[in-house]
Amino acid sequence: SAELLVGMKASPQSVLVSFNAPYKLEKGSVFDVECRDGKTGDGAFLAVTESTNGKSLEELPSSFFLERLFDPTGRFSFYGPPTDVKVKKSTLLDNGERRMLQLTFSNLSQSTNAEIPRNAVVVATIPKGTSNALMIVASSNSSRWRKGGGESRAMEIVDSFRAVPAPKSSMKLRVKDRSNGASIDF
């Protein structure tokens, strides 16, 4: 579990986020909240969108979420922009409280510079009182997705995802700038 700040730097809002994954929590300057299997590349991570501008999950196009996931600083764009991005399915869950996207795409391999087909499942929610969507993304290469249990493992991870406003406190919220000079008004 983690505590994330969303909103604007002038008035950040604290959100408690949790999920269960069978992978080790990664640490270092390029990782935010990410768990992954170093041998297979299977993993899960959290991402925060820009402001939804008051729109519900149902009103937001799939491209709103994809822009965040596949932007130049996104997790899947580390070695170049992903290609062949396709939304296979988009479903509202829990009476519109969560939205699930099932995706396929290809991204560049670090070691071989070849395009590797991947599958991913994304679940997004907008915690009450906030204006950003929080997402959990679980993915695997396409062959492990189909034959190696990647899909069922990813579904277990995203099913465990929860994001709720933190209890109000008199403690001051401090933003830790991990943006490498980019705007931290998220």
Side-chain angles (χ1 to χ4, degrees):
S1 59
E3 182 176 9
L4 303 179
L5 295 181
V6 299
M8 303 297 280
K9 184 178 179 183
S11 59
Q13 296 167 290
S14 180
V15 176
L16 301 176
V17 182
S18 67
F19 67 93
N20 295 319
Y23 315 120
K24 150 179 144 17
L25 178 65
E26 294 295 336
K27 297 177 184 171
S29 62
V30 297
F31 300 107
D32 288 321
V33 179
E34 179 174 353
C35 299
R36 66 187 199 96
D37 182 325
K39 292 180 184 173
T40 66
D42 294 0
F45 65 92
L46 298 175
V48 179
T49 69
E50 294 181 0
S51 174
T52 61
N53 293 317
K55 292 183 179 178
S56 69
L57 292 171
E58 185 175 19
E59 295 170 313
L60 294 167
S62 296
S63 60
F64 176 80
F65 305 100
L66 299 182
E67 285 171 10
R68 172 64 184 100
L69 293 178
F70 299 126
D71 74 7
T73 61
R75 169 66 178 85
F76 295 118
S77 302
F78 207 67
Y79 301 104
T83 60
D84 302 323
V85 178
K86 293 183 179 80
V87 176
K88 296 295 189 178
K89 191 174 184 182
S90 175
T91 311
L92 286 173
L93 307 170
D94 305 328
N95 296 316
E97 294 292 316
R98 300 187 316 149
R99 180 167 169 188
M100 179 186 292
L101 301 172
Q102 295 177 12
L103 316 170
T104 60
F105 60 95
S106 295
N107 66 338
L108 290 175
S109 163
Q110 173 185 359
S111 57
T112 64
N113 214 24
E115 286 194 350
I116 308 295
R118 292 190 73 80
N119 288 62
V121 61
V122 177
V123 169
T125 188
I126 303 170
K128 289 188 185 334
T130 69
S131 61
N132 302 88
L134 275 68
M135 301 182 287
I136 179 111
V137 183
S139 72
S140 178
N141 71 44
S142 291
S143 63
R144 284 189 48 75
W145 189 265
R146 290 187 305 275
K147 298 176 186 168
E151 181 177 14
S152 61
R153 200 168 299 108
M155 291 300 188
E156 289 174 12
I157 293 168
V158 299
D159 281 346
S160 72
F161 172 62
R162 298 293 178 264
V164 297
K168 297 291 181 202
S169 166
S170 60
M171 295 175 66
K172 182 176 166 73
L173 296 176
R174 292 187 331 192
V175 176
K176 181 177 180 182
D177 184 356
R178 299 173 81 182
S179 66
N180 294 324
S183 170
I184 56 173
D185 286 337
F186 27 84

